[in-house]
Amino acid sequence: MPRIHLSCLLGTAAALRPQVTRRSLCGAAPALVLAPQLSRAADGPTEALLPEAIYAGNDWIADRKLTIIEGDAAAAETAWRALGGAGAFEVLHKEKYTAGFKPTNEKMSFNSEKFPTWASTATGTVAVDRSVEVASRGGKSTSLKSAGVKIEDIGRGQIGTKELFVADGVAFSVARAYEPAPLAKMFGIKEVVTTFALAPDGSVGTAPTSTTKSRLHYEKPEVAKNRQE
């Protein structure tokens, strides 16, 4: 099986810029996963960034449903648990937990035109706060450091992200397509986690060994309360 060394995944940022349009958002996450090569410019972001105006806060109520598991189930489960997964690793497994996003000092400009009506005027960036998510999901705490990152601003607050991680001998990419609702504080995520073989010398196989897909829905507590009334 062809292999590339992990260091080769940290090349030029231009290699990470496939054309993604708002119209193709529904397929954005799977499309980003198909290319195992990831890179990050020396002065680029170290984690997937999102606009603070939409995604800030540590009180999001998340509903997650695992929809597809394909390929090497052991590798897929390793990646899933490294990301905080808890309970049975099986198709249709559902979780409900608190999720959050932490403020960052990294800068990135987003197209704020046609942001949802509920977006704030904040201009900073946030990233997934994995500590909140792991604690709420009941999973194991794993130190994850991004080895590569890609961010696509699709417009209207819709963001496509892809990160590469290594944990417990498995290399895996996490691709997400974020799509906020226009009128209420909620958004959906399509997530695709793809694993690749990791050799002892640090080389990463170019062919995916497994694919896990999930659908997520996030909403603020007040939205959930109003919906239940």
Side-chain angles (χ1 to χ4, degrees):
M1 180 183 296
R3 292 183 176 275
I4 54 177
H5 196 275
L6 184 60
S7 62
C8 294
L9 300 181
L10 306 178
T12 62
L16 282 176
R17 308 295 299 182
Q19 296 298 312
V20 181
T21 66
R22 182 174 62 82
R23 185 176 181 182
S24 65
L25 178 65
C26 291
L32 292 173
V33 164
L34 292 178
Q37 292 83 2
L38 282 173
S39 61
R40 180 174 65 240
D43 59 349
T46 60
E47 54 191 339
L49 303 178
L50 299 164
E52 178 186 11
I54 300 173
Y55 300 100
N58 272 332
D59 60 345
W60 291 95
I61 298 174
D63 284 288
R64 171 188 283 268
K65 182 179 181 180
L66 204 165
T67 58
I68 292 176
I69 303 171
E70 297 177 334
D72 185 340
E77 183 171 0
T78 295
W80 183 74
R81 295 198 184 279
L83 292 167
F89 180 65
E90 59 188 16
V91 173
L92 302 183
H93 175 68
K94 296 180 180 180
E95 296 177 76
K96 191 180 187 72
Y97 54 90
T98 300
F101 299 87
K102 61 186 179 181
T104 77
N105 293 323
E106 298 191 71
K107 305 297 183 183
M108 181 171 179
S109 296
F110 295 94
N111 180 8
S112 60
E113 184 179 0
K114 296 184 179 180
F115 264 13
T117 58
W118 50 269
S120 74
T121 58
T123 59
T125 61
V126 296
V128 174
D129 190 335
R130 300 191 187 281
S131 63
V132 171
E133 189 165 314
V134 169
S136 181
R137 294 175 73 181
K140 70 174 184 177
S141 180
T142 302
S143 178
L144 291 177
K145 184 176 181 180
S146 176
V149 61
K150 178 191 186 323
I151 306 166
E152 291 286 351
D153 183 358
I154 302 167
R156 298 179 185 270
Q158 300 169 105
I159 308 296
T161 69
K162 181 181 179 184
E163 293 180 278
L164 176 69
F165 300 102
V166 176
D168 298 329
V170 175
F172 58 94
S173 63
V174 181
R176 282 183 160 192
Y178 292 79
E179 185 170 12
L183 301 177
K185 290 185 178 181
M186 62 175 67
F187 60 92
I189 298 176
K190 292 181 180 178
E191 178 186 271
V192 181
V193 178
T194 306
T195 63
F196 305 92
L198 182 66
D201 65 355
S203 61
V204 178
T206 57
T209 59
S210 76
T211 301
T212 303
K213 298 181 181 181
S214 301
R215 289 181 178 270
L216 298 87
H217 174 80
Y218 284 48
E219 61 186 18
K220 285 291 188 176
E222 60 268 27
V223 174
K225 181 179 178 180
N226 291 337
R227 185 163 49 79
Q228 294 170 359
E229 291 178 349

